Amino acid sequence: MSDQLQVKPPTSSHSAAAERAWADLHTHTTYSDGLLSPSEVVSQAKAANLRAIAITDHDEISGIDAALNAAKAFDVEIVSGVELSVTHKGIDVHVLGYFVDHHNPKLIAFVKDFQQERRLRLDRILAKLEAMGKPLSKESVLIKAGAGSVGRPHIADAMVEAGFVENYYDAFNQYLADGRPAYVPKKKLAAAEAIKLLHGAGGLAAIAHPGLDVPDEIVLEMVHAGIDAIETVHPKHGDARRLHYTAMAQAHGLLTTGGSDFHGGRKAFEKIGDHRVSYEIVERMKDYLMKAKNAWA
Ligand code: AMP
Ligand code: ZN
Ligand code: FE
Ligand code: FE
């Protein structure tokens, strides 16, 4: 008998099929700073043999319906998500929401308001750039952003197009990154407020890529504020970080999550599913939510 015919006994209550299936729980579309539309992302997810993906646009949920529609044709499960920009003690912390009801009125009102705030921030960044002799029209940036949330990546693209910088990364390093001369912080959203918003919309809250300059003490404060999960798998997390955050999640009884933070090819060499988690994580999230919703109600 060949090795291939030997069937491993299931090691958990979840199905053997689930053990072989994968999920990428961090992706962006044209509704924020991704370069691909929701249906293109879903199509690439199918090609990458993913069973599920989460659509997690920055401060935006309008792309979820398009992804759900596309998913019918591609047989990929969509986890409705969002990536909220939280400010905690002056530090930018991204909070992922999973299984949020994207028709929740409070969440919709919140993201609409955030879009407006992002456009006001764009005005302030453009004013700073103009004062430095780098005038950009608002239109040239908004056209990059399309229907969704406008952010610094769109400004960086417009700066490249205008010939003010050689490439996207120069735009951040010279002008747009935190601490550079055209930096303007976003609207302040407190961690507790973000978590409440996500729970109120029936979703769970995960701290995104803590390895990107979020000190452990801040991660712990987020845990105490009611975070449900830690993103352990991320392109910027090496093995040491992944293990560190996994241990932290275990110590606090939290879920773990992960994905590729896919931006549709904006970052060099990225491919959806390059960083992925077992589909079992999605099942665990569903189990957790069934129990937690009673507690939050
Ligand atoms: P915003 O939400 O407008 O502040 O833009 C945040 C996005 O800009 C992040 O999700 C990254 O994709 C990108 N970004 C932030 N800082 C940098 C950086 N230093 N270099 C390249 N991209 C960056
Ligand atoms: Zn982004
Ligand atoms: Fe992020
Ligand atoms: Fe992201």
Side-chain angles (χ1 to χ4, degrees):
M1 195 166 77
S2 88
D3 285 351
Q4 280 169 342
L5 290 174
Q6 289 176 14
V7 177
K8 248 176 79 184
T11 51
S12 80
S13 60
H14 294 302
S15 67
E19 286 171 9
R20 288 193 301 270
W22 299 99
D24 184 336
L25 300 177
H26 193 155
T27 74
H28 295 273
T29 77
T30 44
Y31 282 83
S32 63
D33 56 356
L35 297 179
L36 300 180
S37 69
S39 71
E40 287 168 326
V41 171
V42 175
S43 145
Q44 293 209 358
K46 183 70 191 172
N49 200 26
L50 294 166
R51 174 174 296 188
I53 57 168
I55 301 287
T56 54
D57 277 312
H58 297 285
D59 310 306
E60 176 59 284
I61 48 176
S62 307
I64 290 171
D65 275 323
L68 288 170
N69 274 331
K72 287 179 202 152
F74 289 107
D75 187 30
V76 172
E77 182 178 340
I78 303 298
V79 175
S80 57
V82 65
E83 184 172 16
L84 297 177
S85 310
V86 163
T87 312
H88 189 83
K89 294 194 170 158
I91 294 177
D92 273 347
V93 186
H94 288 179
V95 173
L96 292 158
Y98 291 118
F99 293 100
V100 293
D101 170 12
H102 61 297
H103 297 299
N104 177 271
K106 278 192 184 153
L107 186 58
I108 291 172
F110 173 85
V111 300
K112 274 204 178 135
D113 182 53
F114 214 113
Q115 304 314 314
Q116 185 57 27
E117 296 275 352
R118 277 178 169 278
R119 279 188 285 270
L120 296 173
R121 172 188 185 228
L122 169 63
D123 290 337
R124 294 173 61 202
I125 294 175
L126 292 181
K128 286 191 166 193
L129 287 173
E130 184 161 6
M132 284 181 278
K134 309 284 176 209
L136 275 182
S137 74
K138 192 170 181 178
E139 205 38 53
S140 71
V141 179
L142 288 178
I143 203 154
K144 304 271 177 216
S149 61
V150 62
R152 286 178 289 162
H154 306 115
I155 304 174
D157 287 346
M159 290 186 80
V160 174
E161 204 170 85
F164 292 152
V165 283
E166 276 211 0
N167 61 53
Y168 175 84
Y169 292 98
D170 282 351
F172 273 92
N173 294 336
Q174 295 171 25
Y175 298 99
L176 302 170
D178 192 351
R180 305 307 299 153
Y183 177 71
V184 174
K186 269 171 286 190
K187 163 191 154 100
K188 297 232 177 324
L189 170 65
E193 208 183 322
I195 294 166
K196 196 172 148 200
L197 186 69
L198 296 171
H199 287 176
L204 59 85
I207 181 162
H209 46 65
L212 284 181
D213 297 328
V214 183
D216 276 358
E217 65 182 79
I218 300 286
V219 177
L220 286 174
E221 287 182 19
M222 306 285 287
V223 171
H224 294 135
I227 275 285
D228 309 293
I230 300 179
E231 186 179 52
T232 56
V233 173
H234 186 274
K236 293 282 169 70
H237 287 179
D239 286 348
R241 287 235 162 103
R242 181 170 47 74
L243 294 172
H244 171 70
Y245 294 124
T246 303
M248 225 166 155
Q250 274 166 359
H252 296 276
L254 304 178
L255 296 166
T256 57
T257 178
S260 61
D261 205 350
F262 183 61
H263 280 72
R266 180 184 287 288
K267 301 176 197 163
F269 313 121
E270 65 171 344
K271 205 169 142 266
I272 194 165
D274 266 356
H275 297 264
R276 59 188 186 177
V277 294
S278 163
Y279 179 77
E280 214 180 302
I281 295 281
V282 177
E283 294 184 325
R284 273 189 215 149
M285 285 183 177
K286 289 176 184 171
D287 288 347
Y288 175 94
L289 275 172
M290 292 248 285
K291 290 171 193 140
K293 273 183 188 170
N294 297 325
W296 295 337

